[in-house]
Amino acid sequence: MEAKDCKKKIILTGDRPTGKLHLGHYVGSLQRRVALQNSGKYDEIYILIADDQALTDNWDNPQKIRDNMIEVALDYLSVGIDPKKCHICVQSNIPALHALTFYYMNLVTTQRLSRNPTVKSEMVMRGFSNSDTNDNQAGLPAGFFTYPVSQAADITAFKATTVPAGEDQEPMIEQTREIARKFNNTYNQDILVEPEILLPENETQRRLPGTDGKAKMSKSLGNCIYLSDDAKTVKQKVMSMYTDPTHVNIADPGHVEGNMVFTYLDAFSSTEQFEKYLPEYKNLDEMKEHYRKGGLGDVKCKKFLIKVLEEMLEPIRQERAKWEANIPAVYDILKQGTQAAVDTTNKTLAEVTAAMKVNYFADDSIIQEWENWIHK
């Protein structure tokens, strides 16, 4: 079912403020957000700092979330998010999202939530589950378990048509579509929009592994390169990066599959950078071939990766320094973006409550209904 507002192209995306953002965030969505805001193809772009959702597994440390709200905003601004083209907003200060989350909980079962792959993997990673989610729900915070419902409220409240995200978020977007479809069908209204996910074009960038070779770069695993890391820290992290344990000597043949240096070069390097920093190779394919045959050392590969990353990260650091010198301006950007979000989402909430006929004091027709019944 296609909602009436589908002609309007709207983006909703965001991050949980549990720490500074890292390269996984950058390749997974941040660089795409900048490109989208500059494309002129979208009517509205909302970037949500999802502090409510961050509290689902940080309920005992709200100060962590409070501190990192500004950190995340600084990362957004430093990579080129333009507050004149995007609304950067704070989830907890948008009341309509809370109301919609509550209503949507009646549209999804606990069984369906248990099957959500993203929820299951996050539960395991955060120690909420061993193998079978159903056996461990007694110790699982309800807010965490219903995370997909909250995310559906976020997306549909803004009537987002597009959600730029990594492939790990596909189950979440599918659940949002299911909830929107069920609401529209239940109340026979074309109100909620079923969103589409926008994945990174580079397959390697869809789920960037950690520096240790683990499946995902994650703050909780300590395997991140942060956008705000200084050059010395980046160098240290790259030089300790997981490569090929069988490639002991330079002359030994090496494997590029599962080798994080080459995985990161796949994600970040360009042909122009080979010409600039490593002209003995025309491109990454030639470099990989040499590594496979033997005769190319890990240190040389890592030094090239450091140059590639520094070319990208140094301008981000410089931009961040400018915003760090004016935190009141960052605060105002968040305040203004959140107010714009409140205005937008209140309109959706009004439509939802009208469809559900719970907008009692916005529509006093209930008086006439009762009078008609009484005087039958």
Side-chain angles (χ1 to χ4, degrees):
M1 185 176 290
E2 187 174 351
K4 295 174 183 176
D5 289 41
C6 272
K7 291 181 181 178
K8 198 171 185 180
K9 293 184 177 181
I10 300 171
I11 285 178
L12 185 281
T13 185
D15 302 279
R16 293 170 11 119
T18 54
K20 297 178 179 180
L21 302 183
H22 51 63
L23 289 182
H25 294 112
Y26 184 77
V27 298
S29 61
L30 291 179
Q31 64 178 355
R32 175 61 67 88
R33 293 176 198 174
V34 175
L36 292 172
Q37 77 170 12
N38 295 333
S39 70
K41 295 179 180 179
Y42 293 87
D43 299 286
E44 297 282 350
I45 299 177
Y46 294 91
I47 303 179
L48 189 68
I49 298 180
D51 58 326
D52 278 343
Q53 289 167 3
L55 286 168
T56 60
D57 56 338
N58 291 278
W59 63 89
D60 56 345
N61 190 8
Q63 187 64 43
K64 172 185 175 182
I65 309 306
R66 182 181 177 88
D67 293 342
N68 283 308
M69 183 180 72
I70 296 295
E71 287 283 8
V72 170
L74 286 169
D75 283 327
Y76 286 162
L77 296 168
S78 67
V79 300
I81 297 296
D82 186 347
K84 295 178 181 178
K85 299 178 180 179
C86 303
H87 302 294
I88 304 176
C89 44
V90 180
Q91 185 181 42
S92 61
N93 280 252
I94 308 172
L97 303 184
H98 306 141
L100 290 172
T101 297
F102 183 81
Y103 292 140
Y104 292 174
M105 284 184 186
N106 297 313
L107 302 175
V108 63
T109 66
T110 56
Q111 185 181 39
R112 174 64 181 91
L113 290 172
S114 296
R115 295 199 309 269
N116 188 302
T118 305
V119 172
K120 289 171 72 174
S121 63
E122 290 290 323
M123 286 161 67
V124 172
M125 186 177 74
R126 299 176 196 282
F128 288 145
S129 171
N130 295 322
S131 57
D132 187 339
T133 58
N134 292 317
D135 291 341
N136 293 276
Q137 287 179 19
L140 181 68
F144 186 91
F145 186 61
T146 56
Y147 188 106
V149 184
S150 172
Q151 191 161 342
D154 297 338
I155 296 168
T156 59
F158 292 96
K159 298 198 174 182
T161 55
T162 306
V163 181
E167 65 179 4
D168 61 319
Q169 289 298 306
E170 286 189 283
M172 293 292 208
I173 306 305
E174 177 56 33
Q175 190 134 43
T176 297
R177 286 194 285 266
E178 290 176 11
I179 290 173
R181 193 178 309 129
K182 188 169 184 179
F183 180 92
N184 288 342
N185 289 335
T186 299
Y187 298 103
N188 197 28
Q189 299 279 345
D190 293 340
I191 293 174
L192 302 183
V193 176
E194 295 183 34
E196 296 296 330
I197 192 170
L198 183 63
L199 295 169
E201 294 176 351
N202 185 326
E203 187 174 348
T204 305
Q205 296 174 347
R206 294 184 182 182
R207 190 187 289 251
L208 189 71
T211 56
D212 56 358
K214 296 290 173 62
K216 184 178 180 181
M217 183 174 284
S218 166
K219 293 184 284 281
S220 60
L221 295 176
N223 59 2
C224 305
I225 294 177
Y226 293 103
L227 298 175
S228 55
D229 280 345
D230 60 31
K232 182 179 179 181
T233 301
V234 172
K235 180 178 179 179
Q236 290 173 341
K237 291 181 177 180
V238 172
M239 294 308 292
S240 62
M241 189 174 280
Y242 181 84
T243 55
D244 175 9
T246 69
H247 188 247
V248 179
N249 301 305
I250 292 178
D252 294 337
H255 299 85
V256 300
E257 296 77 14
N259 185 322
M260 291 305 99
V261 174
F262 285 97
T263 298
Y264 279 55
L265 287 173
D266 275 324
F268 296 103
S269 69
S270 66
T271 301
E272 292 74 20
Q273 287 171 323
F274 276 93
E275 184 178 348
K276 186 175 181 180
Y277 301 121
L278 206 60
E280 61 197 87
Y281 303 107
K282 290 182 180 179
N283 50 43
L284 183 55
D285 287 336
E286 279 196 4
M287 186 181 184
K288 286 180 177 180
E289 186 60 27
H290 189 183
Y291 191 82
R292 289 189 180 102
K293 290 179 178 178
L296 176 57
D298 290 325
V299 171
K300 186 172 184 177
C301 298
K302 289 178 177 181
K303 286 182 176 179
F304 175 59
L305 176 58
I306 290 169
K307 291 178 180 178
V308 168
L309 293 179
E310 280 302 303
E311 186 174 299
M312 178 185 68
L313 290 172
E314 182 54 29
I316 293 174
R317 291 191 200 106
Q318 292 177 8
E319 188 65 19
R320 183 185 177 94
K322 295 177 186 177
W323 287 106
E324 284 179 333
N326 193 1
I327 296 300
V330 178
Y331 180 84
D332 285 342
I333 287 168
L334 294 178
K335 188 175 181 180
Q336 292 171 20
T338 301
Q339 185 56 55
V342 167
D343 295 341
T344 295
T345 57
N346 278 348
K347 293 176 184 177
T348 302
L349 179 60
E351 292 181 77
V352 165
T353 54
M356 297 174 67
K357 297 186 181 299
V358 295
N359 60 335
Y360 309 116
F361 305 113
D363 175 10
D364 61 4
S365 61
I366 191 173
I367 298 173
Q368 189 62 50
E369 291 171 7
W370 269 90
E371 288 182 341
N372 292 341
W373 183 80
I374 291 170
H375 293 100
K376 275 184 178 180

PDB file of all heavy atoms in Angstrom, residues 25-46:
ATOM      1  N   HIS A  25      31.259   3.408  10.639  1.00  0.00           N
ATOM      2  CA  HIS A  25      30.157   4.349  10.452  1.00  0.00           C
ATOM      3  C   HIS A  25      30.376   5.183   9.187  1.00  0.00           C
ATOM      4  O   HIS A  25      29.437   5.448   8.442  1.00  0.00           O
ATOM      5  CB  HIS A  25      30.049   5.305  11.646  1.00  0.00           C
ATOM      6  CG  HIS A  25      29.677   4.645  12.931  1.00  0.00           C
ATOM      7  ND1 HIS A  25      30.554   4.538  13.984  1.00  0.00           N
ATOM      8  CD2 HIS A  25      28.527   4.047  13.333  1.00  0.00           C
ATOM      9  CE1 HIS A  25      29.936   3.918  14.986  1.00  0.00           C
ATOM     10  NE2 HIS A  25      28.721   3.603  14.613  1.00  0.00           N
ATOM     11  N   TYR A  26      31.628   5.575   8.981  1.00  0.00           N
ATOM     12  CA  TYR A  26      31.923   6.456   7.851  1.00  0.00           C
ATOM     13  C   TYR A  26      31.601   5.788   6.522  1.00  0.00           C
ATOM     14  O   TYR A  26      30.885   6.352   5.687  1.00  0.00           O
ATOM     15  CB  TYR A  26      33.387   6.891   7.889  1.00  0.00           C
ATOM     16  CG  TYR A  26      33.727   7.885   6.804  1.00  0.00           C
ATOM     17  CD1 TYR A  26      33.348   9.219   6.929  1.00  0.00           C
ATOM     18  CD2 TYR A  26      34.413   7.490   5.661  1.00  0.00           C
ATOM     19  CE1 TYR A  26      33.647  10.139   5.931  1.00  0.00           C
ATOM     20  CE2 TYR A  26      34.710   8.402   4.664  1.00  0.00           C
ATOM     21  CZ  TYR A  26      34.329   9.722   4.805  1.00  0.00           C
ATOM     22  OH  TYR A  26      34.604  10.621   3.799  1.00  0.00           O
ATOM     23  N   VAL A  27      32.121   4.565   6.332  1.00  0.00           N
ATOM     24  CA  VAL A  27      31.882   3.892   5.049  1.00  0.00           C
ATOM     25  C   VAL A  27      30.483   3.310   4.967  1.00  0.00           C
ATOM     26  O   VAL A  27      29.929   3.149   3.884  1.00  0.00           O
ATOM     27  CB  VAL A  27      32.930   2.794   4.770  1.00  0.00           C
ATOM     28  CG1 VAL A  27      34.311   3.380   4.682  1.00  0.00           C
ATOM     29  CG2 VAL A  27      32.882   1.703   5.835  1.00  0.00           C
ATOM     30  N   GLY A  28      29.904   2.979   6.135  1.00  0.00           N
ATOM     31  CA  GLY A  28      28.581   2.388   6.137  1.00  0.00           C
ATOM     32  C   GLY A  28      27.477   3.369   5.827  1.00  0.00           C
ATOM     33  O   GLY A  28      26.485   3.019   5.184  1.00  0.00           O
ATOM     34  N   SER A  29      27.639   4.635   6.284  1.00  0.00           N
ATOM     35  CA  SER A  29      26.560   5.592   6.043  1.00  0.00           C
ATOM     36  C   SER A  29      26.983   7.057   5.993  1.00  0.00           C
ATOM     37  O   SER A  29      26.389   7.834   5.246  1.00  0.00           O
ATOM     38  CB  SER A  29      25.472   5.425   7.107  1.00  0.00           C
ATOM     39  OG  SER A  29      25.995   5.678   8.400  1.00  0.00           O
ATOM     40  N   LEU A  30      27.995   7.465   6.756  1.00  0.00           N
ATOM     41  CA  LEU A  30      28.294   8.896   6.861  1.00  0.00           C
ATOM     42  C   LEU A  30      28.670   9.529   5.528  1.00  0.00           C
ATOM     43  O   LEU A  30      28.156  10.598   5.169  1.00  0.00           O
ATOM     44  CB  LEU A  30      29.415   9.135   7.880  1.00  0.00           C
ATOM     45  CG  LEU A  30      29.074   8.868   9.346  1.00  0.00           C
ATOM     46  CD1 LEU A  30      30.289   9.116  10.226  1.00  0.00           C
ATOM     47  CD2 LEU A  30      27.914   9.723   9.802  1.00  0.00           C
ATOM     48  N   GLN A  31      29.572   8.886   4.777  1.00  0.00           N
ATOM     49  CA  GLN A  31      29.984   9.494   3.514  1.00  0.00           C
ATOM     50  C   GLN A  31      28.831   9.524   2.519  1.00  0.00           C
ATOM     51  O   GLN A  31      28.707  10.457   1.713  1.00  0.00           O
ATOM     52  CB  GLN A  31      31.197   8.775   2.931  1.00  0.00           C
ATOM     53  CG  GLN A  31      30.984   7.339   2.533  1.00  0.00           C
ATOM     54  CD  GLN A  31      32.239   6.726   1.914  1.00  0.00           C
ATOM     55  OE1 GLN A  31      33.259   7.402   1.701  1.00  0.00           O
ATOM     56  NE2 GLN A  31      32.186   5.430   1.622  1.00  0.00           N
ATOM     57  N   ARG A  32      27.950   8.524   2.612  1.00  0.00           N
ATOM     58  CA  ARG A  32      26.783   8.513   1.742  1.00  0.00           C
ATOM     59  C   ARG A  32      25.818   9.634   2.129  1.00  0.00           C
ATOM     60  O   ARG A  32      25.208  10.271   1.261  1.00  0.00           O
ATOM     61  CB  ARG A  32      26.085   7.157   1.831  1.00  0.00           C
ATOM     62  CG  ARG A  32      24.777   7.050   1.048  1.00  0.00           C
ATOM     63  CD  ARG A  32      24.964   7.277  -0.452  1.00  0.00           C
ATOM     64  NE  ARG A  32      25.716   6.243  -1.092  1.00  0.00           N
ATOM     65  CZ  ARG A  32      25.185   5.132  -1.600  1.00  0.00           C
ATOM     66  NH1 ARG A  32      23.895   4.919  -1.525  1.00  0.00           N
ATOM     67  NH2 ARG A  32      25.949   4.249  -2.192  1.00  0.00           N
ATOM     68  N   ARG A  33      25.690   9.914   3.421  1.00  0.00           N
ATOM     69  CA  ARG A  33      24.811  11.001   3.857  1.00  0.00           C
ATOM     70  C   ARG A  33      25.257  12.341   3.281  1.00  0.00           C
ATOM     71  O   ARG A  33      24.435  13.146   2.854  1.00  0.00           O
ATOM     72  CB  ARG A  33      24.790  11.090   5.386  1.00  0.00           C
ATOM     73  CG  ARG A  33      24.153   9.907   6.065  1.00  0.00           C
ATOM     74  CD  ARG A  33      24.256  10.030   7.570  1.00  0.00           C
ATOM     75  NE  ARG A  33      24.038   8.739   8.227  1.00  0.00           N
ATOM     76  CZ  ARG A  33      24.179   8.526   9.520  1.00  0.00           C
ATOM     77  NH1 ARG A  33      24.535   9.529  10.312  1.00  0.00           N
ATOM     78  NH2 ARG A  33      23.953   7.338  10.032  1.00  0.00           N
ATOM     79  N   VAL A  34      26.556  12.567   3.302  1.00  0.00           N
ATOM     80  CA  VAL A  34      27.081  13.824   2.752  1.00  0.00           C
ATOM     81  C   VAL A  34      26.775  13.912   1.265  1.00  0.00           C
ATOM     82  O   VAL A  34      26.350  14.964   0.768  1.00  0.00           O
ATOM     83  CB  VAL A  34      28.602  13.931   3.004  1.00  0.00           C
ATOM     84  CG1 VAL A  34      29.169  15.181   2.332  1.00  0.00           C
ATOM     85  CG2 VAL A  34      28.890  13.975   4.510  1.00  0.00           C
ATOM     86  N   ALA A  35      26.986  12.822   0.554  1.00  0.00           N
ATOM     87  CA  ALA A  35      26.701  12.814  -0.887  1.00  0.00           C
ATOM     88  C   ALA A  35      25.219  13.051  -1.154  1.00  0.00           C
ATOM     89  O   ALA A  35      24.846  13.795  -2.066  1.00  0.00           O
ATOM     90  CB  ALA A  35      27.150  11.487  -1.495  1.00  0.00           C
ATOM     91  N   LEU A  36      24.371  12.446  -0.343  1.00  0.00           N
ATOM     92  CA  LEU A  36      22.924  12.594  -0.536  1.00  0.00           C
ATOM     93  C   LEU A  36      22.458  14.012  -0.246  1.00  0.00           C
ATOM     94  O   LEU A  36      21.620  14.562  -0.957  1.00  0.00           O
ATOM     95  CB  LEU A  36      22.183  11.598   0.360  1.00  0.00           C
ATOM     96  CG  LEU A  36      22.343  10.120  -0.005  1.00  0.00           C
ATOM     97  CD1 LEU A  36      21.723   9.240   1.067  1.00  0.00           C
ATOM     98  CD2 LEU A  36      21.728   9.824  -1.363  1.00  0.00           C
ATOM     99  N   GLN A  37      23.000  14.624   0.807  1.00  0.00           N
ATOM    100  CA  GLN A  37      22.580  15.985   1.138  1.00  0.00           C
ATOM    101  C   GLN A  37      23.008  16.963   0.048  1.00  0.00           C
ATOM    102  O   GLN A  37      22.336  17.980  -0.173  1.00  0.00           O
ATOM    103  CB  GLN A  37      23.170  16.422   2.484  1.00  0.00           C
ATOM    104  CG  GLN A  37      24.636  16.815   2.422  1.00  0.00           C
ATOM    105  CD  GLN A  37      25.184  17.469   3.671  1.00  0.00           C
ATOM    106  OE1 GLN A  37      24.546  17.464   4.710  1.00  0.00           O
ATOM    107  NE2 GLN A  37      26.370  18.019   3.569  1.00  0.00           N
ATOM    108  N   ASN A  38      24.097  16.650  -0.632  1.00  0.00           N
ATOM    109  CA  ASN A  38      24.600  17.538  -1.683  1.00  0.00           C
ATOM    110  C   ASN A  38      24.014  17.228  -3.056  1.00  0.00           C
ATOM    111  O   ASN A  38      24.242  17.964  -4.011  1.00  0.00           O
ATOM    112  CB  ASN A  38      26.132  17.461  -1.749  1.00  0.00           C
ATOM    113  CG  ASN A  38      26.794  17.993  -0.489  1.00  0.00           C
ATOM    114  OD1 ASN A  38      26.238  18.844   0.206  1.00  0.00           O
ATOM    115  ND2 ASN A  38      27.976  17.495  -0.174  1.00  0.00           N
ATOM    116  N   SER A  39      23.253  16.141  -3.133  1.00  0.00           N
ATOM    117  CA  SER A  39      22.710  15.735  -4.431  1.00  0.00           C
ATOM    118  C   SER A  39      21.519  16.579  -4.861  1.00  0.00           C
ATOM    119  O   SER A  39      21.212  16.670  -6.057  1.00  0.00           O
ATOM    120  CB  SER A  39      22.281  14.268  -4.377  1.00  0.00           C
ATOM    121  OG  SER A  39      21.128  14.105  -3.563  1.00  0.00           O
ATOM    122  N   GLY A  40      20.827  17.156  -3.898  1.00  0.00           N
ATOM    123  CA  GLY A  40      19.646  17.951  -4.209  1.00  0.00           C
ATOM    124  C   GLY A  40      18.444  17.115  -4.603  1.00  0.00           C
ATOM    125  O   GLY A  40      17.437  17.646  -5.079  1.00  0.00           O
ATOM    126  N   LYS A  41      18.504  15.793  -4.393  1.00  0.00           N
ATOM    127  CA  LYS A  41      17.433  14.908  -4.828  1.00  0.00           C
ATOM    128  C   LYS A  41      16.384  14.654  -3.747  1.00  0.00           C
ATOM    129  O   LYS A  41      15.367  14.030  -4.010  1.00  0.00           O
ATOM    130  CB  LYS A  41      18.017  13.564  -5.277  1.00  0.00           C
ATOM    131  CG  LYS A  41      18.914  13.667  -6.510  1.00  0.00           C
ATOM    132  CD  LYS A  41      19.467  12.292  -6.882  1.00  0.00           C
ATOM    133  CE  LYS A  41      20.356  12.384  -8.118  1.00  0.00           C
ATOM    134  NZ  LYS A  41      20.911  11.052  -8.474  1.00  0.00           N
ATOM    135  N   TYR A  42      16.667  15.121  -2.526  1.00  0.00           N
ATOM    136  CA  TYR A  42      15.765  14.812  -1.422  1.00  0.00           C
ATOM    137  C   TYR A  42      15.162  16.086  -0.836  1.00  0.00           C
ATOM    138  O   TYR A  42      15.831  17.109  -0.711  1.00  0.00           O
ATOM    139  CB  TYR A  42      16.504  14.011  -0.342  1.00  0.00           C
ATOM    140  CG  TYR A  42      16.882  12.643  -0.843  1.00  0.00           C
ATOM    141  CD1 TYR A  42      18.071  12.428  -1.536  1.00  0.00           C
ATOM    142  CD2 TYR A  42      16.023  11.561  -0.663  1.00  0.00           C
ATOM    143  CE1 TYR A  42      18.400  11.174  -2.036  1.00  0.00           C
ATOM    144  CE2 TYR A  42      16.342  10.303  -1.157  1.00  0.00           C
ATOM    145  CZ  TYR A  42      17.519  10.117  -1.836  1.00  0.00           C
ATOM    146  OH  TYR A  42      17.844   8.881  -2.341  1.00  0.00           O
ATOM    147  N   ASP A  43      13.895  15.983  -0.472  1.00  0.00           N
ATOM    148  CA  ASP A  43      13.178  17.138   0.063  1.00  0.00           C
ATOM    149  C   ASP A  43      13.581  17.448   1.501  1.00  0.00           C
ATOM    150  O   ASP A  43      13.678  18.609   1.886  1.00  0.00           O
ATOM    151  CB  ASP A  43      11.664  16.885  -0.004  1.00  0.00           C
ATOM    152  CG  ASP A  43      11.198  16.675  -1.429  1.00  0.00           C
ATOM    153  OD1 ASP A  43      11.133  17.656  -2.176  1.00  0.00           O
ATOM    154  OD2 ASP A  43      10.916  15.520  -1.797  1.00  0.00           O
ATOM    155  N   GLU A  44      13.783  16.393   2.292  1.00  0.00           N
ATOM    156  CA  GLU A  44      14.158  16.567   3.691  1.00  0.00           C
ATOM    157  C   GLU A  44      15.137  15.462   4.085  1.00  0.00           C
ATOM    158  O   GLU A  44      15.006  14.316   3.641  1.00  0.00           O
ATOM    159  CB  GLU A  44      12.929  16.490   4.607  1.00  0.00           C
ATOM    160  CG  GLU A  44      11.887  17.570   4.380  1.00  0.00           C
ATOM    161  CD  GLU A  44      12.267  18.909   4.999  1.00  0.00           C
ATOM    162  OE1 GLU A  44      13.252  18.957   5.775  1.00  0.00           O
ATOM    163  OE2 GLU A  44      11.577  19.906   4.700  1.00  0.00           O
ATOM    164  N   ILE A  45      16.081  15.808   4.956  1.00  0.00           N
ATOM    165  CA  ILE A  45      17.003  14.818   5.509  1.00  0.00           C
ATOM    166  C   ILE A  45      17.045  15.020   7.017  1.00  0.00           C
ATOM    167  O   ILE A  45      17.358  16.110   7.501  1.00  0.00           O
ATOM    168  CB  ILE A  45      18.420  14.956   4.919  1.00  0.00           C
ATOM    169  CG1 ILE A  45      18.398  14.735   3.399  1.00  0.00           C
ATOM    170  CG2 ILE A  45      19.371  13.968   5.587  1.00  0.00           C
ATOM    171  CD1 ILE A  45      19.744  14.924   2.733  1.00  0.00           C
ATOM    172  N   TYR A  46      16.729  13.960   7.750  1.00  0.00           N
ATOM    173  CA  TYR A  46      16.773  13.995   9.210  1.00  0.00           C
ATOM    174  C   TYR A  46      17.835  13.001   9.690  1.00  0.00           C
ATOM    175  O   TYR A  46      17.830  11.838   9.274  1.00  0.00           O
ATOM    176  CB  TYR A  46      15.423  13.624   9.811  1.00  0.00           C
ATOM    177  CG  TYR A  46      14.335  14.615   9.510  1.00  0.00           C
ATOM    178  CD1 TYR A  46      13.529  14.463   8.379  1.00  0.00           C
ATOM    179  CD2 TYR A  46      14.107  15.715  10.345  1.00  0.00           C
ATOM    180  CE1 TYR A  46      12.520  15.371   8.089  1.00  0.00           C
ATOM    181  CE2 TYR A  46      13.103  16.633  10.059  1.00  0.00           C
ATOM    182  CZ  TYR A  46      12.314  16.454   8.930  1.00  0.00           C
ATOM    183  OH  TYR A  46      11.321  17.357   8.645  1.00  0.00           O
TER     184      TYR A  46
END
